Amino acid sequence: MNISIIGAGNMGGALAAAIDSTLHTVRVSNPSAGKLEVLKSEHPDVQIFTSNKEAVSGADIIILAVKPWILPGVIEELRKELLIAKAIISVVAGVEARELCSMIGEGAPACYYMIPNTAIAVGQGMTFVSAYGSDPAMDSDVRELLARSGELMFVEPRQMTAGMAVASCGIAYAMRYIRAAAEGGVELGLAPDKATKAVAQTLRGAAALLEKRGLHPEQEVDRVTTPGGVTIRGLNAMEQAGFTAAVIAGIKASKP
């Protein structure tokens, strides 16, 4: 398929990296050439354009990865091309699939609202998707398009806000945990690079345990908290400092 991405920012660039350019023709447009040149240097098979219209010519799927205040102008510029595409995907924060179809107007194709996180660029993303006016075949094409990006989950529109908080914003929250845990490791004697590597690998291991065993996280906690041991003392100290409450508050504060 011919895939066109409007916008070469962090998310547009990550999506371009995630799509298999040996199976699809990937085109990316951006008003300034700098970001495009960086993208091209990292992914030579991606075609780059400073013209949106050139980028979407003959596109099967058009991905809109621009700032919210830029979106109306882009839709107005590309309305003809949007109407003849097979599907339009918005990764514009807050623009739901139904709203996107309404903005495009009568005759709009299948519309999707997609919230990925930046880890799609390394094949470990968590992407939430809601759809409007689609069918199972088109949904399958969208799944295939991002097959190598990580996990993709179709949800109801009302659940997209939660998806944004736990996955898209969640990357930043996970990074802050890694930083904090690594700093604690440094205070106890590890070199900064070794502490960071150890914490990152520990998180990978924790995720793998949940996926393989399918247990509740607290069941895995119970496996390593022996009575009177150091782990339970560490957990209790974190809770006294407000760990769980702080995480929940942060997730709930992520609502647009």
Side-chain angles (χ1 to χ4, degrees):
M1 290 191 295
N2 294 322
I3 313 300
S4 296
I5 303 172
I6 308 301
N10 290 335
M11 201 53 68
L15 283 164
I19 297 170
D20 190 344
S21 57
T22 65
L23 298 177
H24 307 286
T25 298
V26 182
R27 302 171 179 170
V28 181
S29 67
N30 200 70
S32 58
K35 291 180 179 179
L36 292 172
E37 290 168 358
V38 171
L39 181 64
K40 185 71 172 179
S41 69
E42 296 173 348
H43 306 284
D45 292 337
V46 172
Q47 300 176 17
I48 57 175
F49 302 83
T50 54
S51 166
N52 289 339
K53 279 190 170 290
E54 289 182 26
V56 301
S57 178
D60 296 304
I61 296 178
I62 299 173
I63 301 174
L64 303 173
V66 298
K67 300 297 184 183
W69 58 88
I70 296 176
L71 181 62
V74 170
I75 289 177
E76 185 61 32
E77 176 192 7
L78 302 178
R79 195 179 307 277
K80 179 180 177 181
E81 291 80 6
L82 294 171
L83 286 168
I84 61 177
K86 294 179 180 178
I88 313 298
I89 298 173
S90 164
V91 293
V92 181
V95 181
E96 296 279 0
R98 185 167 189 163
E99 181 183 359
L100 178 63
C101 278
S102 178
M103 293 174 72
I104 295 170
E106 185 177 353
C111 289
Y112 294 85
Y113 178 33
M114 181 179 291
I115 301 177
N117 60 28
T118 52
I120 62 173
V122 292
Q124 293 294 328
M126 180 64 243
T127 301
F128 284 82
V129 183
S130 63
Y132 183 78
S134 69
D135 57 44
M138 196 68 246
D139 291 350
S140 179
D141 284 346
V142 170
R143 286 185 182 278
E144 187 277 332
L145 184 66
L146 292 176
R148 70 175 192 172
S149 72
E151 295 291 330
L152 188 144
M153 186 182 298
F154 274 76
V155 298
E156 298 176 18
R158 63 181 179 83
Q159 297 173 310
M160 292 295 282
T161 295
M164 177 183 292
V166 302
S168 184
C169 300
I171 282 284
Y173 306 152
M175 292 296 181
R176 279 292 175 89
Y177 170 78
I178 292 171
R179 186 191 74 176
E183 287 177 354
V186 170
E187 190 169 337
L188 291 175
L190 286 174
D193 59 336
K194 291 183 178 180
T196 300
K197 182 176 181 179
V199 176
Q201 178 57 37
T202 300
L203 285 183
R204 280 192 289 268
L209 284 171
L210 291 177
E211 291 174 357
K212 185 174 181 63
R213 294 175 176 170
L215 300 177
H216 189 280
E218 204 60 29
Q219 290 176 280
E220 295 293 350
V221 169
D222 289 343
R223 289 175 178 267
V224 292
T225 49
T226 54
V230 295
T231 303
I232 191 61
R233 293 205 299 270
L235 286 170
N236 286 342
M238 290 181 184
E239 290 303 329
Q240 288 171 9
F243 180 78
T244 297
V247 172
I248 293 172
I251 294 295
K252 291 171 70 175
S254 303
K255 183 176 180 180

